[in-house]
Amino acid sequence: DNESNGFNQSSQAFIYGGFGGRFDQEMACINTLYSWGQKEAFQQTQMSIFDEETGVILLPEAPISNEILIRFPDIEEDDDNESREKSDQVEVGEGPTCGLIPIGARCERVYTSGLKWNLDGDMPLEFGGLVSSSNRIVDKVVTVKTSSPLLFSFEIVKR
């Protein structure tokens, strides 16, 4: 549902190849993601960085409720599952490992659903405090509502 997450389907920006290499260059890519996400012209644009192993999405602050649709390659529901398993086709999807990383400011309140360890808004996320790493995606939709911009990171899985 495009209205619930505040994104317009025609306004998505994907940066491919932003990970892998020197740590300072990866941080520069994340800084660029955050900086561009703060510009008025990009307030309705979903900003993401990807490579072969990792993806990061910049989630805007409330009142937007961010809904992330997860594609698990090993549990796709279709009637032709047996023939697909025997083919040489590589399935690519997200998860199950993910993280919620505060960026730019302390996140006073973060509410999630669809994760193994959901957050209920009672513990702020910040560097020097709690950073939600190594969480697990358990549903096909992850919902995140945050008081400040937040990075949602996830592994890219190939099967």
Side-chain angles (χ1 to χ4, degrees), residues 32-147:
T32 300
L33 182 73
Y34 174 74
S35 297
W36 280 88
Q38 297 303 299
K39 295 181 183 295
E40 176 115 11
F42 290 95
Q43 291 294 310
Q44 296 298 315
T45 302
Q46 180 182 6
M47 309 283 288
S48 308
I49 301 175
F50 289 90
D51 72 4
E52 293 85 16
E53 298 175 349
T54 304
V56 172
I57 301 170
L58 179 63
L59 302 178
E61 62 197 64
I64 294 170
S65 180
N66 301 281
E67 291 183 355
I68 303 140
L69 303 176
I70 305 299
R71 182 167 183 263
F72 293 106
D74 56 339
I75 60 170
E76 288 297 311
E77 298 172 9
D78 63 32
D79 295 332
D80 195 26
N81 204 19
E82 185 176 315
S83 64
R84 189 180 54 172
E85 288 176 6
K86 292 179 183 178
S87 77
D88 291 333
Q89 181 179 6
V90 175
E91 293 288 326
V92 178
E94 296 91 9
T97 304
C98 68
L100 295 164
I101 313 297
I103 185 166
R106 172 183 166 126
C107 293
E108 291 293 334
R109 291 169 308 286
V110 179
Y111 302 89
T112 64
S113 65
L115 302 176
K116 183 172 184 178
W117 297 285
N118 282 312
L119 301 173
D120 60 9
D122 66 347
M123 180 74 88
L125 297 183
E126 66 180 326
F127 280 98
L130 178 64
V131 173
S132 177
S133 64
S134 302
N135 207 328
R136 307 286 284 181
I137 299 167
V138 295
D139 290 330
K140 289 188 176 188
V141 176
V142 173
T143 303
V144 180
K145 192 167 186 177
T146 177
S147 60

